[in-house]
Amino acid sequence: MLARPIRVVVLLSGRGSNFQAMIEAQLPIDIAAVISNRPQAAGLAYARSQGIPTVALDHTQYPDRAAFDALLADEIECHRPDLVVLAGYMRILSPAFIARFEGRLLNIHPSLLPMFPGLKTHERALAEGVKIHGCTVHFVTADLDHGPIVAQAAVPVRADDTPDTLAARVLAQEHRIYPQAIRWFAEGRLINVHGHVNLKDDLASQSVLSPGT
Ligand code: GAR
């Protein structure tokens, strides 16, 4: 275990419920800053209400992704993070950005990867008629939504689900597994075995099977 709480920078674009779940889990981390590409993001307002430093960098004010990501990366580095947490950060990151933070960059995605990378995951799960859906915490690599998996949770899909009801069931599990995964990282327990993430000294399952609500 690291001797001090790890320093975390959170990136988000919207509501920030995963960020809120991180706060409520009382993790052994020091959140150095919350950064958003959307100045009006509700997650930024929540961070301010918690006394956490916030930074708004409006991506629409920059000429292209590379320019914005370079500035974003510089801003993140100012906070000397051990870990960068994407919590509903809804912009594709450039390869140069990912290279700077690879190995300390976590994301949560609302599907059981490698199924349904990208957007509109709940709509696509319903369209495919899958009976199990869920969420995934993974390390970010240049391969979009395909980095090494840290934790997953599965929920049943019901015949009368809409994208909204399914999203709500999945989100409840996101709020469980993301804090857990960050705790494992903070405790130095995530190890890379041949490109797969295992838990050090532990055969505990990194999956959650939810009966749903
Ligand atoms: C979450 O469902 C998260 O998995 C998803 O955005 C939502 C953010 O909600 N992320 C992605 O789709 C990333 N590709 P939140 O702002 O309430 O945490």
Side-chain angles (χ1 to χ4, degrees), residues 65 69 86 89-95 98 102 105 107-111 113-119 121 124 136 138-149:
R65 188 180 308 280
D69 277 8
L86 305 181
Y89 183 70
M90 301 307 284
R91 271 177 69 78
I92 290 176
L93 292 164
S94 57
I98 292 169
E102 198 159 342
L105 185 56
N107 182 44
I108 188 151
H109 183 78
S111 79
L113 292 173
M115 280 192 291
F116 309 122
L119 298 174
T121 56
R124 288 157 59 207
T136 303
H138 66 99
F139 282 103
V140 176
T141 64
D143 196 4
L144 181 69
D145 293 333
H146 279 90
I149 291 170

Side-chain angles (χ1 to χ4, degrees), residues 5-21:
I6 64 163
R7 290 174 66 81
V8 175
V9 168
V10 176
L11 301 189
L12 53 77
S13 300
R15 181 176 56 182
S17 72
N18 276 290
F19 166 55
Q20 190 164 341

Side-chain angles (χ1 to χ4, degrees), residues 187-199:
E187 292 173 348
R189 290 180 64 197
L190 297 181
I191 51 170
N192 188 323
V193 182
H194 308 306
H196 292 174
V197 179
N198 290 346
L199 270 182

Side-chain angles (χ1 to χ4, degrees), residues 2 5 7 32-33 48 79-80 95 106 116 127 142 151-152 189 200:
L2 297 176
R7 290 174 66 81
R48 284 192 288 270
H79 302 282
R80 293 176 288 108
L106 281 181
F116 309 122
Q152 290 186 304
R189 290 180 64 197
K200 196 174 179 178

Side-chain angles (χ1 to χ4, degrees), residues 7-11 30-35 52-55 75 79:
R7 290 174 66 81
V8 175
V9 168
V10 176
L11 301 189
D30 175 10
I31 300 181
V34 176
I35 302 175
I52 296 168
T54 61
V55 180
E75 176 62 38
H79 302 282

